Each structure stands twice: as structure tokens, then as C-alpha cells.
Amino acid sequence: MKVKPVNHALAAEKFIEDVAHESFHDERLWDLRQKRDEQMHILPEWQELRTRASQIKEHTLANLPEYLEQFEANAKKNGIHVHWAADGAEHNRIVGEILEKHGAKSLIKSKSMVTEECQMREYLEPRGVTVTETDLGERIQQLDNQMPSHIVVPAVHKLIPDVAKIFAEHYHTDPNDNSAQSLAWQQRLAARPVILSADAGMTGGNFVVAETGSFVVCTNEGNADLSATVPGLHIATIGIERLVPRMADMGVFIRLLSRSALGSPITQYTTHFRGPQKGSEMHVVLVDNGRSHRLGMQDFWTSLKCIRCGACMNTCPVYRRSGGLSYGAVYSGPIGAIIDPTFNERKYSTLPFASTMNGSCTNVCPVKINIHEQLYKWRRVLAEHHELPFVKREIMHMAGKLMGQPKLYRAAINGTEVALSTMPRFVLYNWLNPWGKHRELPHPVKTTFNSWYKKNRLNIQKEREKA
């Protein structure tokens, strides 16, 4: 059965109709963008850090097999079990087998976009494993049966009353509780017994250090540390692109990550995991899931430099006003729009068009991914692969014909004012004109540049030549 493309425009329209949520979402994320800028101006070496981070990532990706093998060898020396997963299905099978071997029926986990990508919860729960998210935002989304809507702040689209309603349903708390602090405390009370009794814990990994065979997890709630250390079994699921060669490189990325994500100098917890605790067991699952294929894509391989800070999402006017869930994917916003089509080109064919191409995403990216240029290149690829909707395809075809013939184009411009003044609205505003669904068509300028040039420059030039 042919997969239907995500209807981002329709989902965004529904989100925008809820003024309270849309306004809060826009303002909250723009506030994060402004805080990021404040941090940027504090550090005179900010641009140098970005350049260095980009260079480190590009060097690592260019030598990825060697650094992966170096990490594996050093991690094993540290007592870590290293597993390789070619795709999401293999990742889930590996995790399931580890849990089954230890008789684990309850798994607590901190934030991990890779496990969302692999749909791990959906795989484990029918097999009798209870998976509990310990990150506050991720837990809210889990209870509401929704994907994360943001890489860093997964429930940012929700208001306090939304959370109070969810907690009342699942934790039997006051549905009218209007205090963020009180709701956070309720989650703490609900989570602690689960954490203390869990059979296994899982984390992601922000960075993997080849030199030391260790990995680094950055959080603000401390839940990752609890997930990793309280149970006797720790599983870390990490994408193969999260590598850096040396521990010294961490000085660059740690300074950039939280400043870019939240506008704070550093995360509350920056934990280096080098091996299992005494009497416990540690596993690292390195996940490919299309990353090697993307590494071979000439125009799109640099998207693998992403450190998942969400800065591009915080600045994007389309994402801020449409919400992350409208993208219909684990990764949303500008970075999602260039990553998601590598997973399923048809399903996510609409996402590269969810952009104004203003370039702000590229400007704030701490590792200098040329996001807006990749959005344009994806549009071209999708057009070549005939993945554009019929209306868009035909409109673009007609526009290409029109703009490719200067005389016809100028005649059309000259006749536009007459058309707008005399034609019935149903002729101008219909399903063939999605632009006009929410906007009035602009009236053309009285004097085009071409007519102005002929009058003020070309005629004068001809007179001079005659003289």
C-alpha cells in the first residue's frame, strides 16, 4: 500500500486555530532563541567555537569507521558490552534480548530520540516490558500518547491546564492544579517508586568519545543519572553519528550545546559514563538506521553533524507557529525537514516545503549545517522524483512556462490588475490557489522594473548613441 504524505499544512492549520496554544508556543520558543543570542554575545569566541565544532564533526564523519572501531575497542576494555544495530528492528531485538536475558520486565529511560525513531516502546510493551519515561516532558507525552514535539523540550506545545488534565487522568491529582511547581512535584512522587523498583535503565547519549570508549549524557533533571545507576542494568542507545575523536573535543561541544538549546551556559548534569558500576552491567547499542546511507548522500550528509540542540526549531517561524506534531515525525522543525525524507521520501515529501527559506536555521546552528540550502535541494530532489502534489506540480509547471517567456510574463503582469478587478472571486480563489485560502492576492505594482528601465534608462541610452 502506498504511503500517504504527511499533511503538514492541514495539521498546522488546526494548531494555529487554537490561539492560546499557538501564541504560547511561538513566544516560548522565541524566548529561547533570544536567550541563546544573549549567550552568544557573552562569548567573543562563539563563531570560532562553531567553526571548530563543524570541523570536528566533518572530520569524524569522514573517518567514521575507524573511530567507531576505536570506540568499540576502548569501551570493551572498560567492561562495556557493545552491540551494532543496522536498523530500528535490529535495535529493538537486541534490547529485547538483553532484557529477556536478565528477566527484566520494567524499564525506566531518559530522553532518547533514537528509541523514538526505532519505536522501541511499541516493540517492548506487547512483549510484557513496561517502559516508563523519566524525563518530565517525555513522560507527559507518553501519558498523552503523543510523540515528542521538540528535540529538547518535548511537551513545549502544552499549557499548564493540559498537563493538569493528563496528570488527573493518570495520577488522580487535582485537574484544576494551575501550578507548574506542584505538577512537577506530582510527577516526582509518581516517578520515584517506579525508578527505585525498576529492573533496567536506559539512556541515550549526547556524545560518544572514541579515545576513551566513554559516552556523555547531558540533562537538566538528573533523571538520566537515576536511570543509569539505580537499576543493575544500564542500556545506552546511541546513533553512530554522535562520535567525537577525543575527550578534549568535548570542551567545544559542551560550551555550545546548552547555550544553543536553552540559552543556559551548561546543563545541570553532564555525566561521563566510562564503564559499569561494580556488580552491574552496561550495554551500548550503536544504531545505524539509515545513517550510513545518508553519509553517502552528497547534498545531505552534513545533516549528520547535528547535536540535537533544537536551536533551528526555536528560531524557525514556521515551526514556532505550526507546532512540532504537525510534522508527523520524530524529528520536526528545520532539522527534521531535512532528516525525515531520508527515512521515507514519500511520507515526508511535504516537510521541506514547510519553510520560508529565510536561513535563520543555518545562522543559529552550532555546527554550521547549511539547513536552508538542504531544504532547497530536497525540494529539487522531490520534484525530480515526482513526489509533489498534483496541484503544486501543475502550478509550478505553468509558472515555469510563464516565467520562461518574458513577453508572455509581462503581458500577464499587465493584465493582472484587470483580472483582479473584474473576475469573480470563485475563479481566483479556489482549490487551485492554496495561497488565497488565507490571503488576498496582492495587486501588482503600477510600474514594473522593466517598464521603468525602458523609460528612464534605455531610451536615454539610445538618444546618447544617436548623438
Side-chain angles (χ1 to χ4, degrees):
M1 192 170 112
K2 210 169 185 182
V3 178
K4 288 183 67 176
V6 170
N7 195 336
H8 174 268
L10 180 61
E13 182 179 339
K14 291 179 179 177
F15 183 78
I16 291 170
E17 286 174 355
D18 190 331
V19 177
H21 283 83
E22 187 271 338
S23 297
F24 171 80
H25 192 262
D26 183 21
E27 292 169 8
R28 178 72 183 99
L29 293 174
W30 186 244
D31 178 61
L32 293 178
R33 163 65 204 270
Q34 290 178 310
K35 288 177 178 175
R36 174 258 177 205
D37 291 350
E38 290 171 5
Q39 289 294 324
M40 174 189 71
H41 292 304
I42 290 172
L43 295 180
E45 67 272 30
W46 181 262
Q47 296 305 330
E48 185 180 347
L49 285 169
R50 291 180 70 218
T51 299
R52 183 66 183 136
S54 177
Q55 291 170 342
I56 293 169
K57 276 292 187 179
E58 290 185 9
H59 164 78
T60 309
L61 291 168
N63 299 276
L64 192 57
E66 293 80 4
Y67 283 123
L68 284 169
E69 289 176 357
Q70 183 184 5
F71 168 78
E72 180 186 34
N74 289 328
K76 286 182 175 179
K77 289 177 185 177
N78 296 338
I80 301 174
H81 300 272
V82 179
H83 309 264
W84 300 85
D87 53 26
E90 187 171 11
H91 163 269
N92 295 340
R93 179 182 59 78
I94 290 169
V95 173
E97 288 175 355
I98 295 170
L99 296 174
E100 184 178 3
K101 179 183 174 183
H102 289 79
K105 292 297 182 181
S106 59
L107 175 69
I108 53 171
K109 65 180 290 290
S110 64
K111 187 184 299 173
S112 168
M113 299 304 291
V114 178
T115 59
E116 295 282 351
E117 182 184 315
C118 297
Q119 297 183 307
M120 186 194 72
R121 285 206 314 260
E122 291 82 347
Y123 174 86
L124 292 177
E125 288 176 348
R127 289 164 173 78
V129 179
T130 301
V131 182
T132 304
E133 298 285 348
T134 58
D135 175 89
L136 175 58
E138 289 283 356
R139 182 59 175 164
I140 292 167
Q141 290 303 93
Q142 181 185 18
L143 292 174
D144 204 23
N145 197 29
Q146 290 183 339
M147 291 187 294
S149 72
H150 190 285
I151 288 174
V152 178
V153 278
V156 70
H157 62 294
K158 284 183 165 64
L159 300 175
I160 290 176
D162 301 327
V163 179
K165 183 179 178 182
I166 294 167
F167 281 10
E169 180 182 348
H170 294 275
Y171 296 155
H172 308 293
T173 54
D174 182 3
N176 298 313
D177 191 341
N178 201 35
S179 167
Q181 291 77 12
S182 172
L183 291 168
W185 180 254
Q186 294 299 333
Q187 169 58 23
R188 179 188 178 94
L189 293 177
R192 282 306 167 108
V194 177
I195 291 171
L196 293 173
S197 63
D199 298 323
M202 173 175 274
T203 68
N206 295 87
F207 304 100
V208 176
V209 185
E211 178 185 57
T212 59
S214 59
F215 58 97
V216 181
V217 179
C218 305
T219 65
N220 284 305
E221 298 175 23
N223 59 299
D225 292 42
L226 291 170
S227 299
T229 58
V230 173
L233 174 62
H234 175 196
I235 305 170
T237 291
I238 307 171
I240 59 172
E241 82 282 12
R242 309 313 290 269
L243 269 171
V244 297
R246 306 171 305 147
M247 183 59 72
D249 299 327
M250 291 306 303
V252 175
F253 291 101
I254 292 299
R255 297 182 77 193
L256 286 169
L257 178 61
S258 191
R259 286 181 167 93
S260 298
L262 301 171
S264 58
I266 193 170
T267 50
Q268 301 297 319
Y269 301 88
T270 302
T271 308
H272 295 248
F273 293 100
R274 195 162 186 160
Q277 301 176 92
K278 187 176 180 180
S280 64
E281 199 167 299
M282 180 181 288
H283 295 256
V284 169
V285 186
L286 295 170
V287 182
D288 188 319
N289 202 32
R291 287 160 174 79
S292 293
H293 173 69
R294 201 190 321 164
L295 187 58
M297 301 174 76
Q298 183 177 354
D299 291 329
F300 307 114
W301 71 272
T302 57
S303 65
L304 289 165
K305 295 193 294 182
C306 177
I307 61 173
R308 304 293 192 265
C309 68
C312 62
M313 306 164 83
N314 299 341
T315 196
C316 176
V318 174
Y319 173 83
R320 295 200 322 264
R321 292 170 177 83
S322 62
L325 297 181
S326 66
Y327 290 76
V330 171
Y331 302 105
S332 53
I335 191 63
I338 63 173
I339 289 177
D340 294 329
T342 66
F343 294 120
N344 190 318
E345 189 174 290
R346 176 167 176 77
K347 182 177 180 180
Y348 302 117
S349 58
T350 59
L351 301 188
F353 296 90
S355 171
T356 63
M357 304 293 286
N358 60 76
S360 180
C361 48
T362 299
N363 291 338
V364 301
C365 178
V367 288
K368 291 192 169 183
I369 302 172
N370 59 333
I371 300 174
H372 73 292
E373 292 176 354
Q374 292 191 37
L375 287 168
Y376 166 73
K377 289 173 182 176
W378 265 119
R379 293 181 183 188
R380 186 171 62 187
V381 168
L382 293 166
E384 291 171 353
H385 293 179
H386 307 291
E387 293 293 356
L388 299 185
F390 172 77
V391 173
K392 184 186 288 287
R393 187 169 65 246
E394 291 304 307
I395 289 175
M396 291 297 103
H397 179 71
M398 290 187 290
K401 291 283 188 183
L402 181 65
M403 294 180 179
Q405 301 180 56
K407 289 184 179 179
L408 183 61
Y409 173 74
R410 290 174 193 134
I413 290 295
N414 292 333
T416 300
E417 184 63 40
V418 177
L420 289 174
S421 304
T422 59
M423 282 188 170
R425 283 189 67 84
F426 74 85
V427 176
L428 298 171
Y429 298 91
N430 51 57
W431 63 278
L432 286 170
N433 177 21
W435 174 267
K437 187 175 182 180
H438 300 288
R439 310 171 184 85
E440 290 294 311
L441 291 171
H443 288 265
V445 294
K446 293 181 179 179
T447 305
T448 65
F449 175 79
N450 181 265
S451 61
W452 178 91
Y453 183 82
K454 282 183 177 180
K455 180 180 178 181
N456 294 279
R457 290 289 186 270
L458 200 59
N459 291 337
I460 294 173
Q461 185 178 338
K462 287 179 179 179
E463 290 176 4
R464 286 177 178 172
E465 289 173 355
K466 288 179 182 179

